[in-house]
Amino acid sequence: MFIKNFWQQFSSAPVSQLSLLQSNRAVWCLMAGAAMFLILSAIFYFQLFLAMDPCELCVYIRFSQCCIVIAGLIILIDPRNHILKFLGLLLAWYAIIQGWMWSYELMKIHDAAHMVVDTSMDFFAAAGDAAGSACSTEPKFPLNLPLNEWLPFEFEPTGGCGEDDWSLLGMNMAHYCMLAYAVFMICLAPLTFGWLAALRKSSVTR
């Protein structure tokens, strides 16, 4: 019933409904919760249960997901405060775009590392730039944050990029991370539009 009523209201006034939705704490709590779920899944399932050590790109991806959590918490302070909303959205979009790029880079390295090579194949030509990529054991986080020193269990890279053999339905961790960031983008875009519409409306009424 709730979904039906929401869809009817959204169909009649989509911009107005998006403006109302983005000012609701629940949607930002959901965003932060989803990112926290990804972080905890990586730590407790992959790192602890499956004993898969995180690589350099893995800890960068974790960092981006932590940024999404922080962005949601900033907005949750007061979803109607435009300054907090701007800061939160700016951080969220940075984290989502950067996280997707790191995931894409990890996917290329993984595909190159697991490529089946025969005598007639030029491995480096087929693998592309990813074939020469290598992980560092000394990560460089944005703003030179020493996260690997502050929280070594979560942010110290102890594995190699592309070495994992885990897959589900034919996709590996990098694929699922890219999918998760794509979902974040699809959900955040209309919320950002709704906030811009609310911002424009408030500036006109002043």
Side-chain angles (χ1 to χ4, degrees), residues 46 48 66 97 107 113 186:
F46 291 103
L48 289 178
C66 287
I97 294 173
M107 180 201 67
I186 293 172

Side-chain angles (χ1 to χ4, degrees), residues 185-203:
M185 290 182 192
I186 293 172
C187 294
L188 191 60
L191 294 174
T192 304
F193 177 78
W195 171 68
L196 292 174
L199 183 64
R200 180 176 181 275
K201 182 178 179 181
S202 63
S203 63

Side-chain angles (χ1 to χ4, degrees), residues 99-189:
W100 190 92
M101 293 173 63
W102 281 325
S103 300
Y104 179 71
E105 184 177 353
L106 181 59
M107 180 201 67
K108 291 197 300 180
I109 295 175
H110 181 279
D111 291 346
H114 290 76
M115 184 175 292
V116 178
V117 183
D118 56 37
T119 56
S120 64
M121 178 184 294
D122 185 341
F123 172 78
F124 290 98
D129 295 336
S133 300
C135 279
S136 171
T137 56
E138 299 179 359
K140 296 181 180 179
F141 295 97
L143 304 178
N144 291 321
L145 292 172
L147 296 179
N148 56 313
E149 298 177 7
W150 293 345
L151 299 168
F153 181 77
E154 293 83 359
F155 294 107
E156 183 70 31
T158 53
C161 292
E163 292 182 353
D164 67 278
D165 292 320
W166 180 90
S167 66
L168 179 64
L169 301 177
M171 296 193 297
N172 59 40
M173 285 190 298
H175 291 121
Y176 279 104
C177 285
M178 291 175 62
L179 180 61
Y181 287 117
V183 172
F184 276 123
M185 290 182 192
I186 293 172
C187 294
L188 191 60

Side-chain angles (χ1 to χ4, degrees), residues 53-111:
D53 295 330
C55 65
E56 182 188 12
L57 288 172
C58 293
V59 297
Y60 291 160
I61 293 170
R62 290 184 186 183
F63 167 76
S64 70
Q65 293 166 356
C66 287
C67 288
I68 297 175
V69 174
I70 295 173
L73 295 177
I74 291 174
I75 297 175
L76 280 171
I77 296 173
D78 184 1
R80 297 181 182 275
N81 185 296
H82 292 306
I83 295 178
L84 292 176
K85 184 66 64 65
F86 172 77
L87 294 175
L89 286 175
L90 185 65
L91 180 59
W93 276 113
Y94 159 77
I96 292 170
I97 294 173
Q98 184 63 74
W100 190 92
M101 293 173 63
W102 281 325
S103 300
Y104 179 71
E105 184 177 353
L106 181 59
M107 180 201 67
K108 291 197 300 180
I109 295 175
H110 181 279
D111 291 346

